[in-house]
Amino acid sequence: MTKLFQDATLTEIEDAMQRAYAAFLIYRRTTAKQKASFIRAVADEIEALGEPLIEVAMRETHLLAARLTGERGRTCFQLRNIADVVAEGSWVEATIDTALPERLPLPKPDIRNMLVPIGPVVVFGASNFPFAYSTAGVDPAAAWGAGCPVVVKAHPAHPETSEMVAAAVKKAIAKTGMPEGLFEHIHGANFEIGKALVLHPKTAAVGFTGSFAGGKALFDLAAQRPVPIPVFAEMGSTNPVFLLPDVLEKEAEKYAKMYAGSITGGMGQFCTKPGLLIGIESQGLDTFISVLATEIRAILPAPMLHSGIAKAFRTKRADVLGQQTVVVEAETSQHYGEEEGIPSVASVTAAQFVANPALHQEVFGPFSLLIKCKDAAEMQEVIGHLEGQLTCTVVGTEKDLAQAAELLFSVSLICGRLILNGVPTGVEVGAAMQHGGPFPASTDGRFGSVGPHAMKRFVRPLAFQNFPMPLLPDELKDGNPLGIWRMVNGNWEK
């Protein structure tokens, strides 16, 4: 880390958390339209940074301009999407049960309920998405939408990029008249910085995207606090793909080419990269492997995000390839440098995979392991040995799918998103998207980090009993002054 971006001191962290809490007491009482205006202003200011932001991010991450430009667009879309949902207002799930004073044997009180913000949220920037999952990415957007200030710990792999985005957020705060502590920005490569942020008594929740080791460490810290808090960590996944027999007989070449691109796109540095390919032994599977191998050999290596990720990729890849039962099917035919990814595919039998937990772990980078099953029963056995996943994909024809009811049900139990005849890479931003899954894909599979539902991680329900109308939030007053959807005495109405 350069001298410009020194690790924050404990005093600086204390000051930042206190400012964030002071801002919370103000921001939670601002109107939905004021919150939405601020969030839109953040998107405007990020766009106003122009090409210099892309140039800095390219230098720090080795990502190409086209990828970063698209990611910036996605980030601003996400901010505006959440702003639109916040401004409309129905997301707070206002629920009203009116009083029945004459009810016997006991009168029924008037009870009204809605989601309210929980307090300052600490967000850890991700290494592989310098915009979309970092300083003003999905977690900060969701927290601001929910009514919570954000304290971001910049990822040390792209500190200057983070600093530029942080400046844009602060401009948006000034332009919209929001409290200054609504956004605090901390640098720190030392784990002790993250530990201090998680353990601070004013921290109400944590958002994290990264490795299992990092996410689990933060989760354990938060659980040990005198007052435990939730940690919403998205920690990666092997994203298994189930290749059914009829589709391989008819379209093996098509899907082999499709998956070569998905495995190696962005040098495999997506949390939804397909890390496991599972098929039943057949001529179709042989064709799939042959075409996939040809495609992989032709793919050029490229620098990974930073030296730490490159080193981890090589270590984990070597661990898998070092298992006696694993066969290398193909790797890039091009020369590769020490910090470059090595596009590669290996294979193993289902029995060997089931018996060896060392093969079940994610290899973050351009690598995938193909599992050869003897029959459908063995494929089902493989599913039984898989952990929670962000995604599972099933590739099959109508004939395949007519016989795949049990397989579809089984994989639905272990993933957050179930895909048919596609690839898991590419996470659409929208209300229906689920980007999260059962542990260890994420620490709480009930929530995702993409789309407006991500705000629900940073709120809690609060019930108001027997309150006079003037003291109620507008969302719960008679006459529905905000015109939002509400459940009133068991019926949705507007």
Side-chain angles (χ1 to χ4, degrees):
M1 182 174 289
T2 65
K3 188 175 182 181
L4 181 61
F5 305 114
Q6 293 295 313
D7 284 3
T9 65
L10 292 180
T11 298
E12 288 169 336
I13 290 171
E14 174 66 23
D15 292 345
M17 294 307 307
Q18 293 296 343
R19 286 193 298 269
Y21 187 74
F24 170 62
L25 299 179
I26 300 169
Y27 185 64
R28 69 187 298 272
R29 302 175 73 175
T30 60
T31 67
K33 294 194 184 308
Q34 289 171 321
K35 292 183 181 75
S37 294
F38 159 65
I39 297 169
R40 291 191 186 106
V42 172
D44 293 342
E45 293 300 327
I46 290 173
E47 289 175 340
L49 293 172
E51 287 309 299
L53 176 64
I54 302 300
E55 291 164 5
V56 169
M58 286 175 65
R59 171 167 51 79
E60 290 192 309
T61 67
H62 303 139
L63 295 172
L64 298 177
R67 151 71 197 273
L68 288 166
T69 301
E71 186 186 329
R72 179 177 60 184
R74 168 205 167 107
T75 302
C76 293
F77 175 83
Q78 167 107 4
L79 285 158
R80 292 177 176 126
N81 176 243
I82 283 182
D84 290 345
V85 172
V86 169
E88 190 279 331
S90 298
W91 76 276
V92 299
E93 298 180 2
T95 307
I96 298 172
D97 290 333
T98 55
L100 292 173
E102 307 303 323
R103 189 184 67 176
L104 297 175
L106 294 173
K108 175 187 171 186
D110 184 279
I111 303 176
R112 305 181 182 219
N113 189 309
M114 64 178 286
L115 299 175
V116 298
I118 58 175
V121 175
V122 167
V123 172
F124 290 79
S127 63
N128 59 333
F129 283 91
F131 304 141
Y133 289 85
S134 289
T135 311
V138 291
D139 287 337
W144 290 324
C148 301
V150 173
V151 180
V152 166
K153 191 188 86 64
H155 197 285
H158 46 79
E160 193 176 343
T161 302
S162 188
E163 193 71 23
M164 290 180 74
V165 174
V169 175
K170 290 173 182 176
K171 277 189 177 180
I173 287 173
K175 286 185 175 181
T176 56
M178 291 294 139
E180 192 173 312
L182 185 55
F183 174 77
E184 296 289 334
H185 193 236
I186 297 291
H187 289 279
N190 191 320
F191 179 74
E192 294 301 313
I193 305 299
K195 180 179 178 180
L197 289 167
V198 173
L199 294 180
H200 195 281
K202 296 300 186 187
T203 301
V206 174
F208 173 88
T209 299
S211 69
F212 174 78
K216 185 62 162 57
L218 298 178
F219 179 84
D220 291 344
L221 276 174
Q224 294 162 13
R225 288 170 38 123
V227 179
I229 58 171
V231 172
F232 299 101
E234 187 265 282
M235 302 180 291
S237 172
T238 57
N239 304 298
V241 178
F242 298 89
L243 304 160
L244 302 184
D246 192 50
V247 76
L248 288 183
E249 182 179 328
K250 295 174 178 175
E251 298 183 283
E253 182 175 352
K254 167 189 168 182
Y255 282 103
K257 291 181 178 180
M258 182 186 296
Y259 272 92
S262 185
I263 292 164
T264 61
M267 275 297 99
Q269 296 170 112
F270 298 122
C271 50
T272 53
K273 180 212 69 182
L276 295 176
L277 306 171
I278 303 143
I280 296 172
E281 292 176 344
S282 65
Q283 182 60 49
L285 183 61
D286 291 343
T287 301
F288 177 88
I289 295 171
S290 176
V291 176
L292 179 63
T294 299
E295 295 290 317
I296 292 293
R297 291 187 193 102
I299 291 172
L300 297 174
M304 300 192 77
L305 289 157
H306 58 81
S307 58
I309 283 182
K311 181 180 179 181
F313 166 70
R314 286 171 180 256
T315 299
K316 292 182 179 181
R317 176 180 177 271
D319 288 345
V320 172
L321 298 184
Q323 305 296 312
Q324 290 183 348
T325 57
V326 173
V327 176
V328 177
E329 297 289 348
E331 68 172 44
T332 180
S333 61
Q334 309 298 312
H335 174 74
Y336 47 83
E338 189 173 330
E339 295 197 359
E340 292 185 317
I342 310 168
S344 42
V345 174
S347 67
V348 69
T349 69
Q352 292 160 345
F353 177 83
V354 166
N356 189 352
L359 301 177
H360 301 185
Q361 306 308 310
E362 178 187 25
V363 179
F364 188 73
F367 173 84
S368 193
L369 181 65
L370 191 140
I371 303 169
K372 300 177 180 179
C373 304
K374 290 185 293 188
D375 51 32
E378 201 166 48
M379 183 178 279
Q380 195 70 39
E381 186 179 3
V382 168
I383 297 170
H385 285 79
L386 295 176
E387 298 178 312
Q389 307 289 334
L390 294 174
T391 74
C392 287
T393 304
V394 176
V395 179
T397 63
E398 287 187 16
K399 177 182 175 182
D400 285 320
L401 298 174
Q403 302 169 32
E406 188 63 28
L407 181 144
L408 288 166
F409 175 74
S410 296
V411 296
S412 74
L413 298 177
I414 63 168
C415 68
R417 177 163 55 113
L418 182 55
I419 301 156
L420 189 63
N421 293 341
V423 294
T425 42
V427 179
E428 181 68 25
V429 175
M433 176 53 66
Q434 172 64 10
H435 189 57
F439 187 87
S442 54
T443 49
D444 194 331
R446 297 173 301 167
F447 300 93
S449 61
V450 172
H453 290 303
M455 291 188 289
K456 293 179 182 177
R457 296 172 298 166
F458 306 128
V459 293
R460 64 182 179 87
L462 177 62
F464 298 80
Q465 184 166 326
N466 290 334
F467 263 60
M469 286 302 126
L471 296 183
L472 283 169
D474 286 347
E475 290 88 345
L476 298 177
K477 288 178 178 176
D478 284 352
N480 196 5
L482 299 182
I484 62 174
W485 284 101
R486 312 191 297 183
M487 179 176 281
V488 181
N489 295 326
N491 297 306
W492 286 102
E493 61 178 53
K494 196 171 183 179

